[in-house]
Amino acid sequence: IAMVGPVVKVDPNLLPHAPNLFWLGGRNYEVLPNYCKAFDLCIMPFAINAATEYINPTKVLEYFATGRPVISTPVKDVVRQYSDLVYIARHQDEFIEAVSNALREPDQQRIERCIAKAKASSWDNTVKAMQTLIAEAIKKEDRKSNRSITPLSDVEIAYAYQPTPGS
């Protein structure tokens, strides 16, 4: 088991240690695809506590893009948004069973739905959806202002939108 990512809010000396468990620490975004290529599956073993009660782990969409099964503890937003795609394990035995099942018989249809969800949630698609919502709001007859508003053109948006690494 390779744990890739920074260790935060936990004393590293308190982490579990085993011959098959490797705490690799944080890595640059540029090299993460290399790690993902080697994954058999992706896990999100978040502790369920006050620190994780309100998180919305963005890594779930990144994991979907790998084309690997995803297993998570029951983080509220993961359960709410992705319980049809992510294997949710509420305790240790369920986690072990989910990992074993996903390794033995990966659900290809679920994986394809995960990839489609990741593609649909790309930054480009998110921006397009926001543009559509803004354009619809501008056209509404019940707007308080009568001032004419014109949405930005594709050229203006392309110039204004500057993606950054890791965004």
Side-chain angles (χ1 to χ4, degrees):
I1 299 172
M3 300 297 286
V4 181
V7 175
V8 294
K9 299 181 183 176
V10 173
D11 179 352
N13 295 315
L14 299 176
L15 295 172
H17 291 81
N20 65 340
L21 181 56
F22 302 92
W23 298 95
L24 303 179
R27 295 293 189 262
N28 290 330
Y29 279 103
E30 295 83 24
V31 299
L32 290 178
N34 298 324
Y35 287 93
C36 293
K37 285 180 191 176
F39 290 173
D40 293 315
L41 50 84
C42 301
I43 61 172
M44 298 192 307
F46 287 101
I48 303 302
N49 56 33
T52 61
E53 185 174 0
Y54 298 106
I55 64 167
N56 185 335
T58 54
K59 75 170 37 86
V60 71
L61 291 169
E62 295 165 351
Y63 279 178
F64 286 171
T66 69
R68 307 296 194 270
V70 180
I71 300 159
S72 178
T73 52
V75 174
K76 283 183 184 179
D77 277 354
V78 173
V79 171
R80 185 175 57 84
Q81 297 176 68
Y82 308 115
S83 61
D84 61 325
L85 300 172
V86 175
Y87 296 92
I88 305 295
R90 287 166 173 49
H91 53 75
Q92 179 179 336
D93 291 339
E94 279 186 9
F95 209 93
I96 292 168
E97 182 179 352
V99 166
S100 296
N101 290 341
L103 288 172
R104 192 173 44 256
E105 295 179 37
D107 182 341
Q108 290 303 319
Q109 290 179 342
R110 182 182 285 218
I111 290 169
E112 288 171 19
R113 291 194 322 268
C114 288
I115 292 170
K117 181 68 171 177
K119 285 180 182 177
S121 301
S122 72
W123 284 115
D124 288 341
N125 286 336
T126 299
V127 169
K128 285 178 190 173
M130 290 173 66
Q131 289 172 323
T132 300
L133 291 171
I134 291 168
E136 289 171 4
I138 289 171
K139 294 177 188 173
K140 287 188 177 177
E141 298 291 326
D142 62 346
R143 283 190 320 113
K144 296 201 186 305
S145 170
N146 292 325
R147 185 169 61 92
S148 177
I149 301 173
T150 307
L152 294 174
S153 70
D154 288 342
V155 172
E156 292 169 311
I157 289 169
Y159 175 75
Y161 175 64
Q162 298 291 321
T164 56
S167 67

